[in-house]
Amino acid sequence: MTTQPAWQSLQSQRESLPHLRDLFAADPARAEKFQREAAGLFFDFSKNLLTAETLANLLDLAEAAGLRSKIDAMFRGDKINITENRAVLHTALRAPRTASIKVDGVDVVPEVHAVLDRMADFSNRVRSGEWKGHTGKIIRNIVNIGIGGSDLGPVMAYEALRHYSDRTRIFRFVSNVDGTDFAEATRDLDPSETLFIVSSKTFTTLETMTNASTAREWLLAGLGGDSSAVAKHFVAVSTNAEKVSAFGIDTANMFGFWDWVGGRYSMDSAIGLSTMLAIGPDHFRDLLAGFHEMDEHFRTAPFESNLPVIHGLLAVWYNDFFGAQTVAVLPYDQYLKRFPAYLQQLTMESNGKSTTLAGTPVDTDTGPIYWGEPGTNGQHSFYQLIHQGTRLIPCDFIAFAHSLNPLGRHQDLLMSNVFAQTEALAFGKTLAQVEAEGTPAALAPHRVFEGNRPSNVLLADKLTPATLGRLVSFYEMSVFTQGVLWNINSFDQWGVELGKVLAQRIIPELESAGEPDLKHDSSTNSLIRRYRKMK
Ligand code: G6Q
């Protein structure tokens, strides 16, 4: 990629780009040139450090990387996750019933809809009170047990769509192997009214299996020890039927998915069962329809009007040409408070790679660090560094025209902050402006804002299930675009697998009655000995 003429041209442009103040002054039509709209999202990227030539060069890079054919390969079900020899078909999870997508010659769409129908039937039975607990009480509490991709999507979606959720029920999420997570999530719950969803693709994950066992003990202790109670209080979401039944959950109460769904791409599979229980099957289908709408936009739109493609290319631009190490995601909607955490996994687990698909080391930086908090809260803390620090931090502002809780002036005040922040980041405040305000000379340099700090604004009508689907797909496809430009596998996660193996070696050394024969480095050995003494 770095030898492409477009890459060379971008490198020289990076040196000579005018300040955003000058770019806007020179072209009154700049905003319209760098705004696109599709699938209900309005995307303003005009406050980025770019000219028409920059965009053209970035689009050239996408062509040179074979993005078009790679998009087709993913949607077709080719095994593009080459290190695990798997197709990557989260797009099939939201394909309409009429679609046909084949993996190893088998159409997966009917299976997807069969699971969705079973989830809907189950959700309706729980929500209506027809599904009863062991003692005949209706289910009032739903606890999802899962971690990583089996937790972050469900938590984020529950928080994001809380407005649409069944407020008569309590939803909790347990992920951490720290016993505090389980204890706090269940301390005020009545076992006879509690349903656990054990969500684990593999059904072998240490944290989830430990929490699931603790949940079973907690339930049986509360219900007099009759193990037949498990059937009414536990369901599983997994690809591993064998392990589900070994755990003691009837596979009739299991909702499946497939190896072609990566954990971080699974919130719209059966992993979304807690979401469906919260918002109901119709809203869940709206969520899927929103995903599909953005998928189709990404698959079919020309690159110059393709929102996720442009967004992904801009990420590469800052990452590789400006050395920007992070991206801030700033949702101006309280319901999206877990969205940055969700995106951290999606982006960093996907593109935190340093080996190309050919097995060679990458020759550019890859996935940036994503972080963020909802606005306006962040404005009162870390925005200082974005405005006046020494680092370049591209920002994504996400905002909605309508609040789901319209209260007096709140929404106008919220939105005024979105616009004001992006304006201040782009245009800053010069020394002359500061002095003209009558600022004392000694203070003036401290009050200067350099400006020229890039931001995107994503604006939608309001946060609905469909909008959330569009937004998540937008980021999924942006991440895909970035991965294609870097020629890496965005769909494996060997770094995560490593963690799963490492702890297993140390567990017996902490638990053994006799002094273990430790063979780690001196630091690890002494920490283990110290912990054994302290515990
Ligand atoms: C996601 C990752 C990882 C995974 C968790 C949970 O892409 O692989 O976050 O989702 O480790 O795995 P299980 O669902 O198998 O328990």
Side-chain angles (χ1 to χ4, degrees):
M1 196 52 48
T2 53
T3 58
Q4 292 290 327
W7 190 281
Q8 313 289 334
S9 162
L10 286 164
Q11 229 152 17
S12 59
Q13 281 173 58
R14 185 253 174 280
E15 305 304 324
S16 57
L17 265 184
H19 193 287
L20 275 172
R21 272 197 288 265
D22 302 319
L23 288 171
F24 272 90
D27 182 4
R30 179 176 170 87
E32 295 86 84
K33 285 188 185 141
F34 300 115
Q35 292 172 335
R36 305 284 187 271
E37 189 166 12
L41 285 190
F42 181 75
F43 178 39
D44 180 347
F45 59 100
S46 62
K47 292 195 189 84
N48 276 286
L49 312 180
L50 88 166
T51 64
E53 191 191 0
T54 320
L55 181 59
N57 287 156
L58 288 169
L59 292 167
D60 288 344
L61 285 185
E63 296 292 350
L67 180 58
R68 176 61 63 201
S69 64
K70 295 203 168 183
I71 292 173
D72 292 342
M74 175 171 71
F75 277 81
R76 199 168 48 222
D78 288 7
K79 296 194 173 167
I80 61 168
N81 175 358
I82 56 166
T83 61
E84 296 179 300
N85 192 29
R86 287 176 179 168
V88 174
L89 269 180
H90 40 281
T91 51
L93 298 169
R94 52 256 194 167
R97 255 179 230 279
T98 48
S100 166
I101 302 164
K102 292 197 170 144
V103 178
D104 295 329
V106 178
D107 188 357
V108 299
V109 178
E111 297 177 43
V112 166
H113 282 273
V115 174
L116 280 171
D117 290 343
R118 282 187 61 230
M119 288 165 64
D121 176 58
F122 176 72
S123 299
N124 286 333
R125 287 166 67 200
V126 172
R127 285 163 62 88
S128 68
E130 184 194 328
W131 177 286
K132 303 234 169 16
H134 183 62
T135 63
K137 289 194 179 171
I138 68 168
I139 298 296
R140 299 209 171 275
N141 317 310
I142 289 142
V143 181
N144 185 74
I145 298 177
I147 195 164
S150 301
D151 169 69
L152 286 160
V155 175
M156 182 278 288
Y158 172 68
E159 293 293 345
L161 301 177
R162 212 169 183 157
H163 179 78
Y164 304 87
S165 72
D166 176 354
R167 304 292 188 140
T168 67
R169 291 190 160 80
I170 290 173
F171 289 83
R172 300 264 167 84
F173 299 85
V174 176
S175 54
N176 201 335
V177 74
D178 180 346
T180 297
D181 205 10
F182 182 84
E184 286 293 338
T186 52
R187 64 193 300 276
D188 56 348
L189 303 186
D190 176 350
S192 65
E193 298 181 334
T194 301
L195 175 78
F196 290 98
I197 305 173
V198 185
S199 297
S200 176
K201 181 173 168 179
T202 54
F203 233 71
T204 56
T205 306
L206 170 89
E207 292 89 337
T208 303
M209 291 304 106
T210 307
N211 280 319
S213 297
T214 301
R216 187 170 48 189
E217 282 163 27
W218 177 86
L219 181 95
L220 295 182
L223 295 182
D226 179 356
S227 62
S228 68
V230 170
K232 290 288 171 199
H233 293 269
F234 276 80
V235 296
V237 178
S238 187
T239 57
N240 193 339
E242 219 173 283
K243 295 264 186 231
V244 168
S245 45
F247 180 83
I249 299 178
D250 187 343
T251 46
N253 296 335
M254 166 179 159
F255 300 87
F257 60 116
W258 306 270
D259 72 354
W260 40 262
V261 182
R264 57 195 172 276
Y265 296 90
S266 67
M267 62 170 274
D268 47 341
S269 70
I271 290 289
L273 184 62
S274 60
T275 314
M276 193 189 269
L277 282 160
I279 65 174
D282 290 347
H283 281 135
F284 196 82
R285 289 194 193 274
D286 290 347
L287 173 78
L288 297 183
F291 268 105
H292 182 64
E293 206 181 333
M294 184 57 79
D295 291 351
E296 283 302 283
H297 165 71
F298 177 65
R299 189 177 68 81
T300 59
F303 290 164
E304 64 271 17
S305 54
N306 194 311
L307 271 60
V309 169
I310 295 172
H311 186 264
L313 292 173
L314 287 169
V316 172
W317 174 229
Y318 294 117
N319 194 68
D320 292 344
F321 294 87
F322 292 78
Q325 295 195 346
T326 81
V327 176
V329 184
L330 310 166
Y332 278 64
D333 190 304
Q334 191 58 25
Y335 285 124
L336 288 183
K337 66 180 182 194
R338 295 292 290 164
F339 195 64
Y342 173 78
L343 275 191
Q344 284 187 329
Q345 181 184 28
L346 177 65
T347 58
M348 291 158 70
E349 201 175 352
S350 296
N351 285 340
K353 313 284 163 66
S354 50
T355 303
T356 67
L357 288 167
T360 54
V362 292
D363 58 359
T364 60
D365 275 322
T366 59
I369 299 154
Y370 278 74
W371 59 284
E373 278 287 322
T376 58
N377 296 8
Q379 290 176 207
H380 298 266
S381 70
F382 56 79
Y383 278 39
Q384 166 61 37
L385 187 149
I386 307 179
H387 281 290
Q388 286 191 304
T390 55
R391 295 173 193 281
L392 180 79
I393 302 182
C395 301
D396 282 357
F397 288 80
I398 302 170
F400 302 91
H402 296 101
S403 170
L404 293 169
N405 297 290
L407 287 178
R409 302 168 62 213
H410 283 250
Q411 188 66 7
D412 285 344
L413 300 185
L414 179 71
M415 293 301 290
S416 70
N417 277 281
V418 175
F419 304 137
Q421 288 294 328
T422 64
E423 193 176 26
L425 287 168
F427 299 99
K429 201 185 246 188
T430 62
L431 185 62
Q433 286 170 317
V434 174
E435 285 169 348
E437 287 171 354
T439 309
L443 276 185
H446 299 280
R447 298 221 173 156
V448 169
F449 289 77
E450 180 191 30
N452 214 30
R453 297 176 184 224
S455 63
N456 292 314
V457 176
L458 282 165
L459 188 60
D461 184 50
K462 77 176 178 203
L463 182 53
T464 61
T467 307
L468 183 69
R470 294 172 186 131
L471 200 57
V472 175
S473 167
F474 168 84
Y475 276 100
E476 286 177 350
M477 301 310 167
S478 170
V479 165
F480 178 78
T481 300
Q482 295 168 47
V484 167
L485 270 275
W486 292 318
N487 195 30
I488 55 177
N489 183 356
S490 301
F491 301 104
D492 59 10
Q493 55 284 312
W494 297 104
V496 177
E497 314 299 338
L498 173 74
K500 293 188 179 186
V501 176
L502 287 183
Q504 295 295 345
R505 280 172 50 202
I506 295 185
I507 294 167
E509 295 169 350
L510 302 186
E511 291 184 333
S512 71
E515 206 49 45
D517 178 20
L518 298 176
K519 296 213 165 64
H520 305 275
D521 58 276
S522 61
S523 163
T524 310
N525 287 345
S526 74
L527 286 167
I528 291 171
R529 283 190 199 108
R530 173 68 59 133
Y531 172 73
R532 284 180 57 94
K533 247 187 237 149
M534 288 167 79
K535 79 177 196 157

